[in-house]
Amino acid sequence: MKLYNTLTHTKDEFKTYEPGKVRMYTCGPTVYHFAHIGNLRSYIMEDVLEKYLRYSGYDVKRVMNITDVGHLSSDADTGEDKMLKGAKREKKTVMEIAKFYTDAFFADCAKLNIKTPDVVEPATGCIPEFIEMVQGLIDKGYAYLSDGNVYFDTSKLDEYYVFNKHDAEDLAVGVREGVEEDKAKKNKTDFVLWFTKSKFEDQELKWESPWGIGYPGWHIECSAISLKHLGDRLDIHCGGIDNAFPHHTNEIAQSEAYIGHEWCGHWFHVLHLNTASGKMSKSSGEFLTMSLLESKGYDPMVYRLFCLQSHYRKSLVFSYEGLDNTKQSYEKLLARIATLDFEDASAIDEAAMGKLKSAFAEAMDNDLNTSLAITVIYDVLKENTNDRTKLALLSDFDKVLSLDLIEGAKAYNDAKNDAAGSDDAFVSEIEALIAERAEAKKARNYARADEIRAYLLSKGVVLTDTKEGTTYSFS
Ligand code: AMP
Ligand code: ZN
């Protein structure tokens, strides 16, 4: 499988340290608010990657952290703690906020068929591991204490800007943008491993440490959690592209300094989902969440398909018009699958099966080309073969794409039958009321006859009395 690697800037042959085994790490959400659909784009594409690795026969162990402490407003260690900001906004404690938004995140994931990673670890559960790692970095001479905080000393590295060797100045933007320059740092790219500084006195969650009461920096949590559950060799690390710098750059710096050798060979980054006006935001403009889309009538599968239709390495612009087009495509696709015979007991057509499975794998093996893989679904429907083979292929691809293709098509058929059933019941009701009205007129009960006419009119049914009897039409 060829997969683009941010570390080498090329589509590399995906390799693992141990044959057949993948140790995969994903940066989890900062649980101070709902996830926006941009965050969810990253998790959808990472889910497809994990499922495709499993589909290809790998034994995958995937670990994700939950950031419930340490992530400041600016990724470069300045500003307020995002969790504290969330707690103040909602007048709750940090742990209440963390619990609420962690549950909300996994509820969104469930709707979008995103599998929960094998291990999910909240940062607040690993404080001893962070302290041990920070101490190790001090002992090895890679970290220093200054003005109360412990910093990583980037000048001790041969190379700090691992992702972009040619444009270090560009990558330093996040650091330069810091609202206030931290005078305690020795080098402008140094970053905080442990905070104790008095300016964070309102911090709700604080722990004892060898350097005083304080709390961990954001970057250390991913290095230590990955080390705890996946050991000192990681096969692939994922996140949105904004995580590449400074977060992942700092993770690599401290992990490799601590373990003393190369840590992770492959870095997978998902480009951003933006709005027409720019960056996706949780605080200004329309806050685009999965629940908002659902309240506007979009099935979560429509959003999943919207993401899969474009390549993870291209930024994607969200628009309702685009989503409407995907909604139509998804509904048409289900309607087409629904015409297949689910009871077909023909023998599997091995030739068609082999050919189409190869086409699917070829698309996915080429840097996870999900949009091309989706065109193979249409090739299956067009293929001159029996319905059993087509359904087997669709359900095979859906192990990776998770678009509810078979369940959705069956639900489409059920809804169609229900609608037809309720039509039949309505026609019987109209006919029974017309007969009752004829009897009422015969018995000179005109009040009841008028009542029936009025009732049917309220349901859109217009009665016309003729010599041959009463007929009806719909208004
Ligand atoms: P956060 O909750 O801010 O830690 O972000 C969770 C994940 O969403 C990270 O992997 C981010 O890189 C990713 N992310 C943030 N914004 C976007 C976006 N607009 N599009 C895609 N992924 C994003
Ligand atoms: Zn991380």
Side-chain angles (χ1 to χ4, degrees), residues 25-28 65 67 218-219 221-222 237-238 243 247-248 251:
Y25 186 84
T26 295
C27 290
N65 67 305
T67 298
W218 172 39
H219 317 296
E221 69 182 66
C222 287
H237 193 308
C238 317
N243 279 170
H247 185 50
H248 292 163
E251 276 188 48

Side-chain angles (χ1 to χ4, degrees), residues 59-355:
D59 172 10
V60 181
K61 180 173 178 190
R62 182 163 173 210
V63 176
M64 184 170 90
N65 67 305
I66 297 288
T67 298
D68 52 2
V69 67
H71 193 174
L72 305 189
S73 311
S74 150
D75 286 355
D77 294 339
T78 54
E80 211 177 347
D81 183 302
K82 287 191 181 188
M83 292 304 297
L84 196 61
K85 220 167 140 180
K88 279 187 190 157
R89 183 186 67 232
E90 298 185 21
K91 300 187 176 52
K92 290 190 181 143
T93 65
V94 164
M95 286 327 278
E96 281 167 349
I97 289 284
K99 162 101 182 69
F100 180 81
Y101 288 113
T102 301
D103 291 349
F105 171 72
F106 284 113
D108 283 345
C109 288
K111 286 178 196 164
L112 288 161
N113 286 346
I114 297 171
K115 178 184 166 295
T116 303
D118 304 292
V119 178
V120 175
E121 182 82 89
T124 48
C126 294
I127 302 299
E129 285 87 347
F130 305 153
I131 291 177
E132 191 183 327
M133 191 163 178
V134 175
Q135 187 60 57
L137 287 166
I138 295 174
D139 296 346
K140 286 172 199 261
Y142 281 101
Y144 59 93
L145 192 65
S146 176
D147 198 15
N149 291 340
V150 183
Y151 292 89
F152 186 90
D153 186 348
T154 51
S155 70
K156 294 278 156 60
L157 303 172
D158 295 336
E159 187 187 24
Y160 171 64
Y161 294 108
V162 284
F163 290 120
N164 199 331
K165 299 167 179 78
H166 312 293
D167 209 357
E169 275 306 304
D170 263 8
L171 282 173
V173 163
V175 178
R176 287 202 307 264
E177 268 178 353
V179 246
E180 62 229 77
E181 208 185 313
D182 187 345
K183 299 270 188 314
K185 286 182 185 184
K186 286 190 196 162
N187 313 287
K188 69 172 182 182
T189 47
D190 291 355
F191 53 92
V192 179
L193 298 168
W194 186 269
F195 291 98
T196 65
K197 247 173 135 179
S198 54
K199 92 170 205 191
F200 299 115
E201 233 151 38
D202 61 345
Q203 187 70 11
E204 215 180 281
L205 300 177
K206 290 184 255 191
W207 294 266
E208 294 278 354
S209 84
W211 322 285
I213 292 177
Y215 64 103
W218 172 39
H219 317 296
I220 196 76
E221 69 182 66
C222 287
S223 290
I225 290 174
S226 165
L227 215 60
K228 174 175 175 184
H229 294 286
L230 296 166
D232 64 359
R233 298 258 183 212
L234 197 56
D235 297 301
I236 188 159
H237 193 308
C238 317
I241 190 66
D242 58 305
N243 279 170
F245 185 82
H247 185 50
H248 292 163
T249 304
N250 292 350
E251 276 188 48
I252 294 172
Q254 65 206 2
S255 294
E256 296 194 348
Y258 184 71
I259 58 188
H261 57 72
E262 193 197 83
W263 174 46
C264 176
H266 205 112
W267 289 80
F268 176 89
H269 289 119
V270 179
L271 270 285
H272 273 190
L273 177 80
N274 299 313
T275 59
S277 57
K279 209 170 171 257
M280 190 130 307
S281 167
K282 299 190 183 189
S283 52
S284 59
E286 193 179 32
F287 182 8
L288 290 161
T289 59
M290 200 53 246
S291 309
L292 179 78
L293 295 191
E294 279 184 294
S295 74
K296 290 179 186 276
Y298 299 100
D299 186 314
M301 287 303 98
V302 170
Y303 181 62
R304 187 167 172 113
L305 179 60
F306 179 80
C307 292
L308 299 195
Q309 275 170 335
S310 74
H311 196 258
Y312 76 90
R313 262 191 324 114
K314 288 203 174 112
S315 41
L316 178 61
V317 175
F318 175 79
S319 72
Y320 283 107
E321 200 187 350
L323 199 61
D324 283 337
N325 288 337
T326 307
K327 185 176 182 202
Q328 266 189 15
S329 314
Y330 185 63
E331 285 168 0
K332 271 196 200 154
L333 177 61
L334 293 189
R336 274 182 76 181
I337 299 171
T339 62
L340 300 177
D341 177 4
F342 290 89
E343 309 300 320
D344 184 13
S346 315
I348 291 284
D349 175 350
E350 297 296 345
M353 192 88 178
K355 180 181 84 176

